[in-house]
Amino acid sequence: MATRLDLNRPSGKPAEHLPPPPGWRRARATPSLVEVYRTVHVGKKGFARKLLAFAGPGYLVAVGYMDPGNWATDLAGGAQFGYTLLSVILMSNLMAILLQGLASKLGIVTGRDLAQACRDNYSKPVNFLLWVGCEIAIAACDLAEVIGTAIALNLLFGIPVMIGVVITAADVLIILYLQNKGFRLLEALVVTLIATVGICFLWEIILSQPPFAEVMRGFIPTTDVVRNPSMLYVGIGILGATVMPHNLYLHSSIVQTRQYEETPEGKHEAVKFAFIDSTIALSFALFINAAILIIAAATFHTSGHAEVGEIQDAYKLLTPLLGAGASTVFALALLASGQNSTITGTLAGQIVMEGFLNIRLRPWLRRLITRMIAIIPAVVVAFMYGESGTAKLLVLSQVVLSMQLSFAVFPLVMFTSDKLKMGEFVNPVWLKLLAYLVAVVIGGLNIWLLFQFFKGAMS
């Protein structure tokens, strides 16, 4: 068990004997990811230097918005409906920017991540259920990454999907090694992998030569999305696959790796730079998700291959339609995307376990448990049903994520809108209304998506 301490108290005095801050029932506990807490120096001079110092957490969050679980919905949207659903990707990204901004503000202002805030605010049974739900979401996301990486290894090197799933267990050692070498190195790896994915898709866009005017029109919302049931279903799938619940827990914790001053001025500055960091990073996620849909629209929709919805189908068709190397570049991007997302899954799992239960496991054990939960069903399905089964499992993982999303979004909006908890940093009325609107829209659309999924499964 972790030893609890208050980070603003004189050393040597137990946190339990200190009065809790206004709005909270307990004094601040040991931060999650204590081994990297406040280890990154931010300096005192120069906007550019501070921006660079605060840059990093947003990119770790952004990888969750471009993981292999998003690819199927983006491919299906572009292949079936051309550029129309680009507006849905844009709106989903704007929602993500808002929610991640609130998550970073909660962590910086209160010194608590979202899981710790929930533990302080809710009863033990409620917290246990929230923790179980979040662990299921992390396992589902990890499942998507395992399958995505295994598919990429199969496409690039001909390794059977089942063996590729087992190979993904090896990334445990890589991640733990880098984390021990410092958090900035881990962030640098993530940025490098994001850049790799971005360059791959930029090359694919150049090859596919989409019409610029049609692409721009696709970002303008249209009533066709609502009027066409098939388009609405895919559109909601894109939204459900975009906003990841565990990213909110992750962001509220890793922003605390920076050594900002714990004064009102220092916190205002940290909130500002954290928001800039996540907005820039999520703009890269917007580009990559939009690029997948644009390539699918320019390549498959225009050539009459509207049925393409699986990663393997897209891989097989890219080279005949775009020329040599297109499929290889696509698979390389998939491999980089899958590996990137495993890093955030590891950190998020550690954060929610420490935050909800106040239990610390050794990082290698925590990672091994998470990865085994993902590997076992993937191996079983790959063995019994082959590649088509793993593709269906990829879709199911996104449905599971949709089920858990509201249980992270609503507490986040409630906490950051609470004057007692946030003080002068509380959400203004306009932001509070906008945040609750986003929470209700996300919750409602995901309920509709779940209903349609189970309706289809029953029929």
Side-chain angles (χ1 to χ4, degrees):
M1 297 285 283
T3 303
R4 290 193 286 175
L5 55 93
D6 184 80
L7 301 165
N8 291 324
R9 66 180 174 85
S11 61
K13 200 170 185 180
E16 288 85 345
H17 300 305
L18 291 175
W24 300 97
R25 295 191 297 174
R26 304 181 185 88
R28 288 168 61 182
T30 303
S32 55
L33 304 181
V34 67
E35 60 273 10
V36 294
Y37 177 75
R38 297 182 67 82
T39 56
V40 180
H41 183 65
V42 298
K44 294 185 177 181
K45 293 183 180 180
F47 179 88
R49 287 186 178 181
K50 284 193 174 182
L51 183 61
L52 186 61
F54 276 98
Y59 293 90
L60 267 72
V61 168
V63 300
Y65 293 89
M66 57 182 95
D67 77 335
N70 292 28
W71 288 43
T73 52
D74 293 337
L75 286 169
Q80 292 180 44
F81 309 111
Y83 306 101
T84 307
L85 293 180
L86 283 172
S87 59
V88 176
I89 290 179
L90 177 60
M91 290 185 345
S92 300
N93 214 74
L94 292 175
M95 290 181 181
I97 288 173
L98 171 65
L99 294 174
Q100 295 300 159
L102 295 181
S104 63
K105 182 166 74 168
L106 176 71
I108 290 167
V109 173
T110 68
R112 305 165 192 258
D113 58 57
L114 180 56
Q116 291 172 334
C118 288
R119 185 162 62 90
D120 183 271
N121 198 70
Y122 301 125
S123 64
K124 285 185 178 180
V126 171
N127 274 306
F128 180 77
L129 291 175
L130 287 174
W131 170 70
V132 170
C134 193
E135 291 286 3
I136 291 171
I138 291 170
C141 189
D142 209 41
L143 179 61
E145 291 142 14
V146 165
I147 293 172
T149 301
I151 290 173
L153 291 172
N154 174 257
L155 298 177
L156 286 170
F157 309 111
I159 298 173
V161 171
M162 189 173 72
I163 296 175
V165 166
V166 176
I167 291 174
T168 59
D171 66 20
V172 177
L173 302 175
I174 299 171
I175 293 168
L176 293 176
Y177 173 78
L178 290 172
Q179 191 171 341
N180 290 334
K181 291 294 181 181
F183 204 70
R184 289 296 264 177
L185 183 60
L186 200 63
E187 291 173 346
L189 173 65
V190 166
V191 172
T192 301
L193 290 171
I194 289 176
T196 301
V197 177
I199 291 169
C200 288
F201 279 117
L202 181 60
W203 176 247
E204 298 277 6
I205 287 178
I206 293 170
L207 289 177
S208 61
Q209 297 181 339
F212 181 78
E214 288 189 39
V215 171
M216 290 298 101
R217 278 197 296 271
F219 285 105
I220 301 173
T222 172
T223 55
D224 291 343
V225 177
V226 180
R227 288 203 304 256
N228 185 332
S230 300
M231 193 180 294
L232 180 62
Y233 181 74
V234 176
I236 293 175
I238 289 173
L239 173 64
T242 298
V243 185
M244 298 288 184
H246 64 277
N247 269 345
L248 303 175
Y249 295 96
L250 175 69
H251 203 185
S252 61
S253 175
I254 59 177
V255 289
Q256 299 178 57
T257 57
R258 270 50 185 175
Q259 292 178 12
Y260 54 85
E261 294 183 9
E262 294 201 89
T263 61
E265 296 78 13
K267 289 179 179 180
H268 271 295
E269 184 179 68
V271 169
K272 178 181 71 174
F273 281 110
F275 181 76
I276 295 172
D277 169 49
S278 61
T279 301
I280 293 173
L282 287 170
S283 297
F284 282 104
L286 170 63
F287 166 75
I288 289 169
N289 281 319
I292 297 171
L293 189 143
I294 290 169
I295 293 162
T299 308
F300 308 132
H301 183 72
T302 56
S303 62
H305 293 89
E307 76 285 352
V308 173
E310 294 186 7
I311 293 170
Q312 293 96 324
D313 295 336
Y315 173 85
K316 292 171 185 174
L317 285 170
L318 276 172
T319 292
L321 294 172
L322 294 182
S327 296
T328 302
V329 171
F330 179 82
L332 180 62
L334 177 62
L335 181 62
S337 176
Q339 285 303 297
N340 221 351
S341 301
T342 60
I343 296 172
T344 58
T346 300
L347 296 175
Q350 189 175 339
I351 288 163
V352 298
M353 178 170 280
E354 293 178 19
F356 278 119
L357 305 182
N358 204 18
I359 294 175
R360 281 182 57 82
L361 293 180
R362 293 186 180 274
W364 67 266
L365 180 58
R366 167 70 230 190
R367 180 61 191 150
L368 193 61
I369 292 172
T370 304
R371 183 43 51 107
M372 286 302 106
I373 292 173
I375 284 177
I376 291 171
V379 168
V380 172
V381 171
F383 177 75
M384 294 181 66
Y385 303 104
E387 292 182 9
S388 61
T390 55
K392 291 182 175 65
L393 199 58
L394 194 63
V395 174
L396 179 61
S397 72
Q398 300 310 295
V399 174
V400 172
L401 284 172
S402 298
M403 292 175 66
Q404 302 302 327
L405 184 55
S406 294
F407 295 103
V409 171
F410 277 99
L412 173 65
V413 176
M414 288 171 57
F415 296 150
T416 54
S417 299
D418 189 327
K419 175 72 174 176
L420 283 176
K421 286 178 167 57
M422 300 297 290
E424 64 185 273
F425 295 89
V426 68
N427 295 335
V429 175
W430 68 268
L431 181 56
K432 187 185 302 185
L433 293 174
L434 181 60
Y436 273 114
L437 176 62
V438 168
V440 170
V441 167
I442 288 176
L445 291 179
N446 277 293
I447 289 172
W448 190 90
L449 179 65
L450 289 171
F451 174 76
Q452 294 299 318
F453 175 82
F454 287 114
K455 181 181 176 182
M458 294 295 291
S459 62

